[in-house]
Amino acid sequence: MKQTPELISGDCSECPIRHRAVCSRCEPEELDELEQLKYYRTYKAGQTIAVRGDDLTTVSSVVTGTATLSRVMEDGRTQIVGLLLPSDFIGRPGRTHAQYDIQAISDVTLCCFRRAPFEQMVTRTPHVSERMLEMALDELDAARDWMLLLGRKTAREKVASFLLLIQKRSARPGGEELGEDLRLELPLTREVMATYLGLTIETVSRQLTALRKDGVIDVQGKKVIVIKDLIALMMESGDDDDGGILD
Amino acid sequence: MKQTPELISGDCSECPIRHRAVCSRCEPEELDELEQLKYYRTYKAGQTIAVRGDDLTTVSSVVTGTATLSRVMEDGRTQIVGLLLPSDFIGRPGRTHAQYDIQAISDVTLCCFRRAPFEQMVTRTPHVSERMLEMALDELDAARDWMLLLGRKTAREKVASFLLLIQKRSARPGGEELGEDLRLELPLTREVMATYLGLTIETVSRQLTALRKDGVIDVQGKKVIVIKDLIALMMESGDDDDGGILD
DNA sequence: CGCTTAATTGACACGATTCAAAGATAGTGG
DNA sequence: CCACTATCTTTGAATCGTGTCAATTAAGCG
């Protein structure tokens, strides 16, 4: 679990998620206000950030690392219902208790705000609430796409869709259309994949093997997957194109 | 498909969804402004309201009736990703194309606004955008709960959960703790149920039969289901309680 | 280099789907 | 008012995909 401790300056203008988080639309003076409220908190990989029912005294943005949102049934069956990546927001106005379990799956840094002052701030600064609405609606779309996957896709389609999701999210903007950003470094175990896809570990493993044998991907060790045939993988995922809906 | 045409006055203060829709927090003068923009549009049961990719020139609130949001795969597999009930909102700021197919499953009346003027209005009236954020986050929670259902629940649990969902939503506020609002009039065919639950029609039918044979429910004709044992049904649904998270 | 944990593979079981047919229901017209 | 018809629902039998349980292999770390 060694990881270079990423030193994060207190200066919001230097923040790696400056342009995407809830604060992305803020004017300099609004940023100043946020800057006074915020503080950082870090979690190690595997650590629990919150469990369902917890009193949420803070809200936060993910600055670095990855966390999962999940729901657990009484008998232990678990479904990951969201992946929290840098710039994603944790908590919501008007809700004092956590609805989901939140776990760090890599080392995570959060930019935290005490809830009450943050909520006051939000009502005063439309730039924050506008951005929060936009982010919430994006998450809603993502959740609904995932519902299609969970409800209707086969195991093979699920795994293919997952690899494409990771590929899209880890793509460095600009440059990868040259073709060779198709090497995925998964920060995730098979268990996390399975829990996200509504499958078992064994099934995920079998589907990866099958895709490898069919020449679509290459599996190198536990954490690296190379997409050998992106077009084929897209076909396997069962997704149609977006019909030109990329507002 | 006969249905008494519900005459809806143009007066927002008389509106059946006045207290729950995006406009619920508006001051009288804000309502006046909305009133000038709005117009009603009706759809018959079964009619398509929008298909994925459509140019959305309007946004709207459901006033009466029920509609579904769904995603369809190329080969026809379909998943309903949301139920639109009175007060639910259709469309989103900053998005010009429909992301989902929208279909009326009963006769539906929408309160419509042309998109551009509505968006301008929203930026000026925080009461609307606040409410939209709240509603979006509620929908997100509902979507995530549904992900647990789709990913991890058995067919029997899915059907039980569905009946409880309908029961909760059709419960008249106050009064049903006397016990006998447990007669559900489903406006839905088995097909809609199946498409919502990620199952086939046959499986839904079998599970309803099984629940009936076990004395949990009673099925009267196609559209009426009586919950004979609510506690048992809750057990069957696989949901734990909410841990006291009812903000 | 060995040890611990994660991942893979295999055999089998079970639940849900598929395909097919019969039964019930609601709407229509005589 | 009843028969007729189209549609929806239920039921049955066989199949297929994924889960379960168990054993083996590989990877990563001290």
Side-chain angles (χ1 to χ4, degrees), chain A residues 71 95-96 141 145 247, chain B residues 71 77 95-96 141 145 247:
Chain A
R71 281 290 308 258
R95 181 96 12 130
T96 63
D141 282 342
D145 284 349
D247 286 347
Chain B
R71 281 289 308 259
R77 280 176 287 173
R95 181 105 358 138
T96 63
D141 281 343
D145 284 350
D247 285 349

Side-chain angles (χ1 to χ4, degrees), chain A residues 1 3 7 11-12 17 25 28 32 38 46 51 64 71 73 83 155 159-160 165 170 180 196 200 202 217 227 236 243:
Chain A
M1 290 311 151
Q3 172 165 327
L7 285 175
D11 187 355
C12 285
I17 57 169
R25 294 241 217 299
D32 286 347
K38 84 178 183 192
V51 305
T64 64
R71 281 290 308 258
M73 294 173 67
L83 229 43
V159 170
L165 177 79
S170 65
E180 290 312 336
Y196 196 27
T200 59
E202 294 94 326
I217 62 172
I227 300 176
E236 297 286 1

